[in-house]
Amino acid sequence: MAQLLDGAGELGWVLLKSVIRFVFMVFNNCAAIPSYCLYLVLLQPLRIWDSSAFWHIEGIMFKWLLAMVSSWGWIAGYTVTEWGDDVRPISEEEAMVIVNHQSTGDVCTLMMCLQDKGMVVQKMMWLMDHVFKYTNFGLVSLIHGDFFIRQGKAHRDKQLIYLKDHLEKYYHSRNRKWIVLFPEGGFLRKRRETSQLFAKKHDLPHLTHVTLPRLGATQVILKTLSAQQENGSVSSESGTPNQRGDNKRKGLQWVVDVTIAYPKARPMDIQTWIFGYRPPTVTHVHYRMYPIKEVPVEAKALTSWLYQRFVEKEELLTHFYDKGSFPSQDGQKEAASRPMILDPVWLCAIQSFAFASAYICH
């Protein structure tokens, strides 16, 4: 009986905590998102006068909003430990980020772990499934200039045309630096069986922890944001003559390969992030950087290059699930990890600013 009562009490506390968290997040969204939109409306004269300054300010507020989402997980004890290359030194350079995709929590994890990477978050463009357009954060992403892509063969060709147009219209004009995409084109649990059947049919590697990536969006990004060299790789100067002018952009300089691993291969979904019913969990994120000059852009060579990256992800994740850590890099005796720390004072400050803005507006 005592055990039953203890179990009931624990369940009751989890439910109460979940309700409190949900109510707070509703108020948080109702305060922060309308305030973000109102500030941008008030700043429209600045957009006409100096669009660069306008998008700089918008980027700062966008980063604050993503930090608020990060704080929801951080308060519940959901933290990140980082492995591999340190990407902070390239935070001011242009990069394409490719990430494995297991669940909706992947986006929240990236929102958290990129907060301490300089100006990356405020100058970042996201490619995500169109269903995210209909979430609470959809309006913010639309204003920021993220791209929502529809999956499936029926939409694929048109979506790639739309993506190219979107990049040409918004990426340079809003001074974006990093672009994030999930080349697998869907969640692991949904695509694994199809991917394995495709691999078997075409004599490709059998993957369990990731799926074979799709080429389309990656190739469009490389071709649009970088200039092609004669050897089929991409150079480090991009943009149309108009875009380059006196403020010549170097274009994409890096591909950052991000591998997300969850303990016991149990992905963190956005419901867990919101309600906080899972015990404190450390998500592990591994980075590997590739200079853009090493990346081919021709379809066959790029497909092979991408497949190799995901075979490496498979090996990384297999090692992690077996050993509890990622393998050491070349030249290291032991893999080094580093905890990603969020500043609680800063989180409290931006939350206070959001609620104060909502109070003033009302």
Side-chain angles (χ1 to χ4, degrees), residues 244-281:
R244 293 198 297 262
D246 295 329
N247 300 317
K248 182 183 288 187
R249 296 176 64 110
K250 291 184 177 180
L252 290 177
Q253 298 291 295
W254 301 92
V255 172
V256 180
D257 186 3
V258 177
T259 303
I260 299 175
Y262 297 96
K264 299 180 181 179
R266 291 181 58 212
M268 185 89 68
D269 56 31
I270 198 167
Q271 296 94 318
T272 306
W273 201 270
I274 291 172
F275 292 105
Y277 48 75
R278 184 183 291 190
T281 302

Side-chain angles (χ1 to χ4, degrees), residues 61-290:
M61 292 193 291
F62 182 79
K63 180 178 180 177
W64 291 352
L65 289 174
L66 267 59
M68 291 178 197
V69 176
S70 303
S71 72
W72 302 346
W74 183 79
I75 291 169
Y78 304 147
T79 57
V80 171
T81 292
E82 299 179 314
W83 303 73
D85 296 332
D86 184 359
V87 299
R88 286 172 295 185
I90 66 164
S91 62
E92 291 297 320
E93 300 182 45
E94 294 190 36
M96 178 178 69
V97 183
I98 56 175
V99 193
N100 61 312
H101 207 11
Q102 300 181 62
S103 71
T104 50
D106 298 340
V107 174
C108 300
T109 297
L110 289 172
M111 288 180 179
M112 176 182 285
C113 67
L114 295 177
Q115 283 293 326
D116 68 341
K117 307 298 186 294
M119 299 176 70
V120 163
V121 174
Q122 68 193 66
K123 293 188 175 183
M124 176 181 288
M125 179 179 286
W126 296 74
L127 266 68
M128 59 187 83
D129 192 280
H130 79 288
V131 297
F132 280 96
K133 187 189 299 185
Y134 307 106
T135 65
N136 60 312
F137 215 73
L139 178 60
V140 172
S141 291
L142 280 170
I143 294 172
H144 183 69
D146 297 328
F147 184 78
F148 299 95
I149 193 164
R150 294 182 67 90
Q151 304 295 343
K153 291 182 180 179
H155 307 286
R156 192 170 299 160
D157 292 340
K158 281 187 177 180
Q159 289 298 299
L160 295 179
I161 294 171
Y162 295 154
L163 172 59
K164 184 178 185 297
D165 291 343
H166 186 89
L167 292 173
E168 290 176 343
K169 186 174 182 180
Y170 298 115
Y171 188 82
H172 293 297
S173 66
R174 298 186 182 184
N175 195 27
R176 300 298 177 234
K177 294 285 189 179
W178 283 32
I179 183 164
V180 180
L181 71 154
F182 301 93
E184 290 165 290
F187 297 142
L188 174 63
R189 68 178 187 277
K190 293 182 177 180
R191 290 209 62 242
R192 179 159 41 201
E193 184 178 351
T194 303
S195 175
Q196 289 174 347
L197 289 172
F198 181 86
K200 184 177 180 180
K201 182 178 179 181
H202 294 86
D203 196 26
L204 295 168
H206 180 88
L207 305 175
T208 302
H209 305 304
V210 294
T211 63
L212 290 170
R214 290 169 175 168
L215 176 68
T218 304
Q219 189 177 37
V220 168
I221 291 168
L222 289 172
K223 285 188 172 182
T224 306
L225 302 182
S226 301
Q228 189 173 354
Q229 294 180 328
E230 291 181 4
N231 63 2
S233 63
V234 291
S235 72
S236 59
E237 182 178 309
S238 71
T240 63
N242 259 356
Q243 291 166 336
R244 293 198 297 262
D246 295 329
N247 300 317
K248 182 183 288 187
R249 296 176 64 110
K250 291 184 177 180
L252 290 177
Q253 298 291 295
W254 301 92
V255 172
V256 180
D257 186 3
V258 177
T259 303
I260 299 175
Y262 297 96
K264 299 180 181 179
R266 291 181 58 212
M268 185 89 68
D269 56 31
I270 198 167
Q271 296 94 318
T272 306
W273 201 270
I274 291 172
F275 292 105
Y277 48 75
R278 184 183 291 190
T281 302
V282 179
T283 300
H284 296 259
V285 178
H286 184 278
Y287 303 94
R288 184 171 287 168
M289 303 187 305
Y290 297 91

Side-chain angles (χ1 to χ4, degrees), residues 30-32 34-35 38-39 42 351-362:
C30 290
S35 298
L38 181 59
Y39 281 128
L42 295 175
Q351 291 283 13
S352 300
F353 178 77
F355 283 110
S357 297
Y359 178 78
I360 293 171
C361 292
H362 286 80

